[in-house]
Amino acid sequence: MQRELKAPSAKKIEKQLIKHNDVRIDDYYWLNERENPEVIAFLEQENAYYEAMTAHTNELKDSLFLEMKSRIKEDDSSVPYKFNGYWYATRYEVGKEYPIFTRRFEKEDAEEEIMFNCNLMAEGLDYFNLGGLSISPNNELAAYGVDTVSRRQYTLQIKNLRTQEIYGDKIENTTGSAVWANDNKTLFYTKKDPVTLRSNNIYRHILGTSPEEDELVFHEDDETFTTFVYKTKSKEFIVIGSSSTLTTEFQILRADDPNGKFHVFSKRVRGMEYSLTHYEDNFYILTNMEGATNFKLMTTPEDQTESEHWVDFIPHREEVLLEDIEMFNEYYVLSERENGLNKLKIVRWDTGESYYLPFDNETYTAYVGTNPDFDTEILRYGYNSMTTPSSIIDFNMRTKEKEIKKEQEVLGGKFNKENYISERIWAPARDGKKVPISLVYHKNTKLDGSSPLLQYAYGSYGHTIDPYFSTVRLSLLDRGFIYAIAHVRGGEYLGRKWYEEGRLLNKINTFTDFIDCSKYLIERKYTSAGHLYASGGSAGGLLMGAIVNLCPEIYHGVIAAVPFVDVLTTMLDDTIPLTTGEYDEWGNPNEKEYYSYMKSYSPYDNVSRQLQPNLLVITGFHDSQVQYFEPAKWVAKLRENKMDNNLLLFNINMDAGHGGASGRFESLKEVAKEYAFLLDLEHKIR
């Protein structure tokens, strides 16, 4: 009965796209007309088709959702952290979707003060997100941003935490975050370009005045840069940052002088990145200056901030990526990555004595947590592995004693970490490089080629997907699936060079690495082509589109979430949000060399008459990162070129954006859809 349902077919309206004397024909360009009733009708037809084709899995979706939800502690809460005399925490209530932000004065067991109950604030809304919470130095006021559409355009507001009054200062189209000066009445915030959504303006707002009177203190002219504002941990400086993919620049202002003028810390130099931390009378700069590919730490006095005054503090190391530094009064903590593994190094300021926190696994994630307090010898960090639930740990840097403040609870009474196995293997890429793969599976899962395997990757922007624990993933592992994270080039798992080898004119390595990992997993009999599945979202959705074109025969099913698949058209349209800031990642197609290279791999431009794996494509109508029409056009073109009876399903959340549904349980329903798709495919071939 399923196969007799007629798939939607988008009408074709030929549009010629000409660049560098090259003509591309885009028959589905018209689908970018967001307000066109025919576009809405087409999307609704796709949703109706999806619902009809998956109706037989509705019971499975419901059971998966309830199963995932049952593992989550509904009345959960975060570990409180102390900041400026208050203990801050976030908690949830049974059956409620949204967080409650709380604080307690001086003691963790003091009377609770509710700052924001997002469940009440979200009533009657399809989408709600509160972000950018910023408390004034006198602890009386909170600035916060609210997004009710999911386009990451926040309305900034201010609440008096003592009287509960929400002031009339309402600032539209911001990033949601704001920074208080030390006078408790001056705020600095970032506004977005209303068309491109680029964060390009920093304003100064005085409490009680009209936002129309706010002073523009900085405008970022370069369309490839975005700007942001924050306060140093020392509370002494307000910092304006400007960044593109590979270049940064900062301006600083004393937080005690909010009406003063910002001055440039060190002028931008194309290809040079730096970030700054303040301690006592010096700045510490994490930078790739002078060929420090894996970054080094430099230092300079407060009054000599230009780069010619910087001196090495921790030199560059070829094999160690220096990712971050956390400052304390008596210690500093370095976040490093060596051979793909996270390392935390603790160093005393006075003696230079240092040591690493011990970790004894190859598929773990360790990170520095929330540490807003300078005057403490306690480091808070997080740890988890693919088989071990997340822990928040307080570590005494002097005594080396640790206290597990919280270990993630996996409810339901069925989870035992001894039932799962994790490992790291290295797949040979076609150019001789070795690509690491992190794997996890149930100890009873057969490794004879008969088991289903879901392979995931992202592979762009130097963003590293560390091996992490997931209660949701247990629903696959307990049903015999193996889960694999392929640490392909384009991420930074093996250092900065690993990223460089997967961007711009090396982008093809991201796609071939993924395929070579897949073939190695088949060769090693973790799975077989009939049981191999792939998943990726956003730039990882581009990866999915590429493998569907390049090597469809080895995947039984592919899930592409909010996929960036129409690379050329998007990168040539500088009115689309975030496009110009992406040139350092993908290249500028206004230059012929980059245009031709992008065209060679862009999934939409390379759809052809061929067999396709079973496909589930997911998007959000309000997505500001990857516009809904990219996957819509891609699906229409795939349908036109299909040479098989495999599934091609397209599900559009008409109320959501790039991150999917809001609310912690609503998002589980989306995961349940994806897992039901995989499990149903696997069931049909058993």
Side-chain angles (χ1 to χ4, degrees), residues 238-275:
I238 306 291
V239 183
I240 292 175
S242 292
S243 69
S244 67
T245 306
L246 296 174
T247 308
T248 51
E249 180 184 74
F250 292 90
Q251 303 171 59
I252 57 175
L253 173 70
R254 289 277 181 185
D256 288 333
D257 182 27
N259 294 314
K261 186 174 181 179
F262 284 86
H263 76 265
V264 173
F265 188 87
S266 188
K267 293 178 182 177
R268 68 187 69 178
V269 176
R270 269 291 171 187
M272 190 181 104
E273 299 172 66
Y274 71 93
S275 59

Side-chain angles (χ1 to χ4, degrees), residues 52-72:
M53 292 295 287
T54 62
H56 67 288
T57 67
N58 284 346
E59 189 175 323
L60 175 60
K61 292 177 198 172
D62 291 342
S63 65
L64 283 167
F65 167 72
L66 293 174
E67 181 181 298
M68 294 172 190
K69 185 180 176 184
S70 72
R71 297 194 194 102
I72 296 173

Side-chain angles (χ1 to χ4, degrees), residues 194 316 493 528 543 545:
H316 177 252
Y493 186 79
S528 57
L543 171 56

Side-chain angles (χ1 to χ4, degrees), residues 133-152:
L133 186 59
S134 178
I135 308 297
S136 62
N138 64 6
N139 293 316
E140 291 190 3
L141 305 170
Y144 63 100
V146 170
D147 176 12
T148 59
V149 177
S150 187
R151 274 182 72 77
R152 302 185 184 183

Side-chain angles (χ1 to χ4, degrees), residues 430-486:
R430 60 196 64 185
D431 64 356
K433 295 292 176 73
K434 296 282 190 180
V435 183
I437 308 171
S438 297
L439 294 157
V440 63
Y441 48 88
H442 194 281
K443 67 180 183 182
N444 294 333
T445 298
K446 294 179 180 178
L447 303 181
D448 61 359
S450 66
S451 294
L453 185 149
L454 177 60
Q455 181 182 333
Y456 171 83
Y458 183 72
S460 292
Y461 304 104
H463 181 62
T464 298
I465 305 296
D466 283 309
Y468 63 97
F469 182 81
S470 166
T471 61
V472 170
R473 189 192 298 142
L474 296 173
S475 291
L476 286 183
L477 303 185
D478 290 347
R479 289 172 172 82
F481 264 76
I482 300 168
Y483 186 84
I485 301 173

Side-chain angles (χ1 to χ4, degrees), residues 400-621:
K400 301 184 181 179
E401 296 173 316
K402 72 177 184 179
E403 179 187 0
I404 298 176
K405 301 295 290 185
K406 179 180 180 180
E407 183 170 329
Q408 179 184 4
E409 292 184 60
V410 183
L411 303 184
K414 296 179 181 178
F415 174 74
N416 178 353
K417 65 182 179 183
E418 303 302 324
N419 288 334
Y420 303 90
I421 297 170
S422 65
E423 57 180 311
R424 184 172 64 161
I425 62 174
W426 298 78
R430 60 196 64 185
D431 64 356
K433 295 292 176 73
K434 296 282 190 180
V435 183
I437 308 171
S438 297
L439 294 157
V440 63
Y441 48 88
H442 194 281
K443 67 180 183 182
N444 294 333
T445 298
K446 294 179 180 178
L447 303 181
D448 61 359
S450 66
S451 294
L453 185 149
L454 177 60
Q455 181 182 333
Y456 171 83
Y458 183 72
S460 292
Y461 304 104
H463 181 62
T464 298
I465 305 296
D466 283 309
Y468 63 97
F469 182 81
S470 166
T471 61
V472 170
R473 189 192 298 142
L474 296 173
S475 291
L476 286 183
L477 303 185
D478 290 347
R479 289 172 172 82
F481 264 76
I482 300 168
Y483 186 84
I485 301 173
H487 304 289
V488 297
R489 280 174 282 188
E492 230 168 45
Y493 186 79
L494 292 181
R496 186 57 175 233
K497 288 181 181 177
W498 202 242
Y499 167 45
E500 298 288 350
E501 292 178 13
R503 73 175 187 93
L504 295 177
L505 300 175
N506 295 317
K507 191 64 207 171
I508 194 69
N509 287 334
T510 303
F511 316 138
T512 57
D513 278 0
F514 191 90
I515 292 168
D516 292 343
C517 285
S518 299
K519 291 179 176 178
Y520 188 66
L521 289 166
I522 293 170
E523 179 188 325
R524 288 279 302 269
K525 294 195 177 299
Y526 284 97
T527 189
S528 57
H531 299 284
L532 178 58
Y533 304 89
S535 173
S538 194
L542 161 64
L543 171 56
M544 296 301 102
I547 66 167
V548 166
N549 288 336
L550 292 170
C551 197
E553 66 276 7
I554 65 171
Y555 302 99
H556 188 227
V558 173
I559 298 172
V562 292
F564 173 44
V565 285
D566 190 12
V567 181
L568 265 184
T569 306
T570 291
M571 293 303 297
L572 283 164
D573 186 351
D574 58 15
T575 68
I576 291 177
L578 309 179
T579 289
T580 53
E582 305 280 289
Y583 289 162
D584 282 336
E585 179 68 24
W586 313 104
N588 183 348
N590 293 299
E591 300 175 23
K592 188 173 182 180
E593 181 182 26
Y594 287 111
Y595 175 93
S596 300
Y597 190 76
M598 287 181 190
K599 186 179 179 183
S600 73
Y601 68 74
S602 173
Y604 184 66
D605 290 289
N606 287 281
V607 171
S608 62
R609 293 283 293 169
Q610 65 177 29
L611 299 175
Q612 301 164 6
N614 294 285
L615 266 166
L616 171 61
V617 183
I618 298 168
T619 197
F621 185 64

Side-chain angles (χ1 to χ4, degrees), residues 95-125:
K96 300 295 178 65
E97 289 279 356
Y98 295 99
I100 299 169
F101 293 91
T102 71
R103 68 178 185 175
R104 300 172 190 264
F105 184 59
E106 288 294 352
K107 297 180 180 179
E108 289 189 64
D109 59 355
E111 183 180 354
E112 179 185 75
E113 177 185 334
I114 294 178
M115 298 187 294
F116 298 95
N117 185 337
C118 294
N119 298 291
L120 299 178
M121 298 170 75
E123 285 182 358
L125 298 171

